[in-house]
Amino acid sequence: MPEGLEAEIWRAAATPLVGRTITDVWVDERIAPVGLADTITGAEITSVDRVAKVLLLGLESASVDTMLGLHFGMTGRLEVDGDAPIDHLEYASGADRPAWDRLRIWAGIDRDDPRAEPRHGPALRLNDPRRLGRVSLDADLLHIGPDAMTLTARALKRQIGGRRATIKTLLLDQEVVGGLGNLCVDEVLWAAGVAPHRPGDQVDSDSIVAIARACRQRLPAMLERGGSTMGTLSPELRSAPGMCPRDGSPLVRSKVGGRTSVWCPQHQK
DNA sequence: CGGCATGTTTCGCC
DNA sequence: AGGCGAAACATGCC
């Protein structure tokens, strides 16, 4: 579930936390730096941002000035004030077990708001069955590439350079482009008419333009509709590849860059 | 039981 | 040195 689009949905959902003070923290210490809870308890949440697939909370207090980074891995999901903005797909059987919680942050309401009611549950809850997600402090995000949603052809061309890895591998590399995951890359390449296994240095200029345009146009549309699973290459189509929605020829399911890829040999060259 | 999963990190080989 | 690809990580589901 979590690609850049999901992180963006969670960013928007978490903005009401700005201005609150962290009163208590519980964390699964296997996925966080030592002493994280003590470090951030008492700090005010001063900002909520997203970089690529990472959600960032700015935290400030007399003794702390840091950025808390939430990485969701393959199966992480977020709840804010008891509300999950995205439902499961992979674990769609309604499973949401407390045992899978990895981080719980209780944060007080705005001190000066007389209408505010006390809250009992955690303000923020990171639930992640597979535990591939991570919580970090001051993560190094300097090398993250330009964000996919606003990607320009010029920037994409520069980032790809003369590299010979497959275009799919390159687009999945967060240092090349920020925010794309397996589903979005397949969707973008399908829309742009580029085969996933084409080497980066053999992607012509027109295709670069098409990929960047597909990122700028399709990703915001998918975001609007609910995230990475809302592309033309639907989860149903991915799991049982049928006919290409564009030209009606058979879709192919194969491994590219170690990831399951769905594409149309007819119009993706 | 075997295989597979929306993601990163690490290791070894050029 | 650095790009590249495969393996590893961890757990649940079909």
Side-chain angles (χ1 to χ4, degrees):
Chain A
M1 173 162 54
E3 301 190 18
L5 296 185
E6 284 69 32
E8 176 59 24
I9 290 169
W10 290 323
R11 182 204 61 75
T15 52
L17 300 182
V18 172
R20 297 198 210 169
T21 296
I22 295 176
T23 55
D24 199 9
V25 174
W26 175 89
V27 64
D28 183 334
E29 295 185 334
R30 292 172 296 183
I31 63 136
V34 176
L36 175 88
D38 286 344
T39 302
I40 68 175
T41 297
E44 178 186 342
I45 301 171
T46 55
S47 65
V48 176
D49 291 295
R50 174 189 68 88
V51 172
K53 303 174 185 175
V54 182
L55 183 65
L56 292 169
L57 302 186
L59 303 180
E60 294 180 32
S61 72
S63 56
V64 164
D65 184 352
T66 188
M67 295 290 279
L68 183 71
L70 273 50
H71 312 242
F72 298 94
M74 294 271 269
T75 54
R77 53 189 290 280
L78 195 73
E79 271 189 18
V80 178
D81 289 334
D83 189 35
I86 309 172
D87 289 325
H88 274 251
L89 190 79
E90 183 174 0
Y91 298 112
S93 48
D96 172 18
R97 305 182 197 169
W100 296 341
D101 277 6
R102 306 302 170 201
L103 175 69
R104 301 183 185 125
I105 293 178
W106 286 263
I109 54 179
D110 298 289
R111 225 180 312 169
D112 301 327
D113 185 352
R115 296 163 305 172
E117 296 175 15
R119 300 168 200 273
H120 302 295
L124 185 147
R125 186 166 81 97
L126 173 61
N127 185 267
D128 178 17
R130 263 173 86 181
R131 210 204 312 150
L132 291 173
R134 290 291 178 271
V135 178
S136 65
L137 285 177
D138 298 316
D140 176 19
L141 302 172
L142 292 177
H143 302 106
I144 298 291
D147 197 80
M149 292 231 276
T150 54
L151 185 66
T152 64
R154 176 185 296 264
L156 178 57
K157 185 171 188 176
R158 170 178 17 96
Q159 292 298 100
I160 289 178
R163 295 180 61 175
R164 292 180 300 192
T166 70
I167 185 63
K168 171 151 187 173
T169 299
L170 293 171
L171 292 174
L172 282 172
D173 185 339
Q174 300 301 293
E175 296 192 10
V176 174
V177 175
L180 293 176
N182 198 36
L183 300 189
C184 286
V185 165
D186 278 5
E187 179 75 14
V188 161
L189 290 175
W190 178 87
V194 178
H197 55 264
R198 178 139 35 128
D201 62 353
Q202 290 174 35
V203 178
D204 58 276
S205 180
D206 285 351
S207 293
I208 299 259
V209 169
I211 291 170
R213 179 184 294 132
C215 284
R216 294 193 309 269
Q217 294 182 345
R218 298 189 84 88
L219 297 177
M222 291 164 72
L223 175 65
E224 195 85 5
R225 295 199 290 152
S228 306
T229 61
M230 304 305 288
T232 301
L233 298 180
S234 62
E236 298 72 34
L237 210 46
R238 292 187 63 86
S239 58
M243 300 298 125
C244 172
R246 174 171 296 182
D247 55 39
S249 64
L251 292 169
V252 164
R253 199 163 182 261
S254 62
K255 292 282 183 190
V256 179
R259 311 296 301 278
T260 295
S261 306
V262 174
W263 59 290
C264 170
Q266 179 67 35
H267 84 268
Q268 290 178 256
K269 301 295 184 185

